[in-house]
Amino acid sequence: MTKRRVAILISGRGSNMAALIQAARAPNFPAEIVLVMSNIAGAGGLESARAAGIEAVTVESKPFGKDREAFERAMQDELLKRNIDLVCLAGFLRLLTPWFVQQWDGRMINIHPALLPSYRGLHTHERALADGVKIHGATVHFVIPDVDAGPIIVQGAVTVHDNDTPDSLGARVLQIEHRIYPQALRMVASGQISIDGGICKNTVTTATEKTLISPAS
């Protein structure tokens, strides 16, 4: 089995990065994490990646100022040098230009802490609680120029408790993120996902008929 070469882009501690690295250690996982790259020097996830034996580099965004594409071209050079096949965004706190997104069309995925298309953007847990939703969660999706709007690969849900705070709800959602991001990468890297009319189709298996009802009667 030829494993797909994966780069993870981070800006902070990289908890989802760690989940991907752990999953990719399995011999039958169809991808290998070969690079972790941060736009912030000293990001916590860089040292964690090195401790796991993975190359970690920094391409700082700050020196490029408002020239976003120049920064992304510097990142692209690093990715091309290492023959990267797939890119995973894991807490990468930069809006990407259409130019960069196009370079990785169908090959770059992101995780978002909400059940898209609801709650695109920031402060998802606060907004979910303010709306009184009973089910919340996380989504892994392909990246397109529109923020948090790409084809959905995998979603995971949690129940919302009456006494939840943004922190307590976010902690449960993060646990779901760590489960579904490796699953999504496995599906994409193995060729299990096709995109038809902007919608992801699973070419191998179908979803189980489990349901999640909240609150339970």
Side-chain angles (χ1 to χ4, degrees), residues 2-4 6 29-31 86 184-192:
T2 301
K3 296 193 175 191
R4 308 297 297 279
V6 176
F29 198 83
L86 300 170
L185 177 57
R186 180 187 297 109
M187 294 167 70
V188 172
S190 65
Q192 189 174 337

Side-chain angles (χ1 to χ4, degrees), residues 14-171:
S15 70
N16 273 302
M17 173 205 75
L20 291 171
I21 290 173
Q22 177 64 31
R25 288 187 176 132
N28 63 346
F29 198 83
E32 59 176 335
I33 314 300
V34 299
L35 177 68
V36 170
M37 185 160 53
S38 174
N39 67 309
I40 298 175
L46 292 171
E47 193 55 42
S48 299
R50 293 187 186 107
I54 296 168
E55 182 183 11
V57 301
T58 301
V59 178
E60 287 196 76
S61 51
K62 190 173 182 181
F64 291 92
K66 295 182 179 180
D67 194 343
R68 293 161 57 199
E69 188 173 314
F71 160 67
E72 291 171 355
R73 287 184 181 277
M75 286 201 306
Q76 180 75 350
D77 287 344
E78 298 298 326
L79 296 170
L80 294 178
K81 285 178 187 175
R82 294 161 179 84
N83 298 314
I84 298 300
D85 298 310
L86 300 170
V87 173
C88 294
L89 306 181
F92 187 65
L93 304 179
R94 294 279 300 185
L95 289 177
L96 297 169
T97 67
W99 175 83
F100 187 79
V101 172
Q102 183 60 39
Q103 307 309 305
W104 296 95
D105 182 41
R107 298 189 296 144
M108 181 161 57
I109 63 178
N110 179 53
I111 190 156
H112 181 72
L115 293 172
L116 293 173
S118 297
Y119 306 117
R120 295 173 179 168
L122 302 175
H123 310 298
T124 59
H125 310 316
E126 290 87 343
R127 291 156 61 198
L129 290 173
D131 285 344
V133 301
K134 303 306 181 187
I135 295 172
H136 190 45
T139 303
V140 185
H141 63 95
F142 284 105
V143 178
I144 65 172
D146 291 339
V147 176
D148 300 331
I152 292 169
I153 305 167
V154 179
Q155 292 184 302
V158 300
T159 59
V160 180
H161 303 161
D162 288 343
N163 62 348
D164 261 328
T165 64
D167 285 345
S168 65
L169 179 57

Side-chain angles (χ1 to χ4, degrees), residues 158-207:
V158 300
T159 59
V160 180
H161 303 161
D162 288 343
N163 62 348
D164 261 328
T165 64
D167 285 345
S168 65
L169 179 57
R172 290 202 306 285
V173 170
L174 189 61
Q175 292 179 340
I176 286 288
E177 291 181 39
H178 294 168
R179 291 173 57 188
I180 67 172
Y181 210 172
Q183 177 182 338
L185 177 57
R186 180 187 297 109
M187 294 167 70
V188 172
S190 65
Q192 189 174 337
I193 294 296
S194 64
I195 302 176
D196 181 8
I199 295 175
C200 286
K201 305 287 187 176
N202 187 339
T203 62
V204 177
T205 60
T206 56

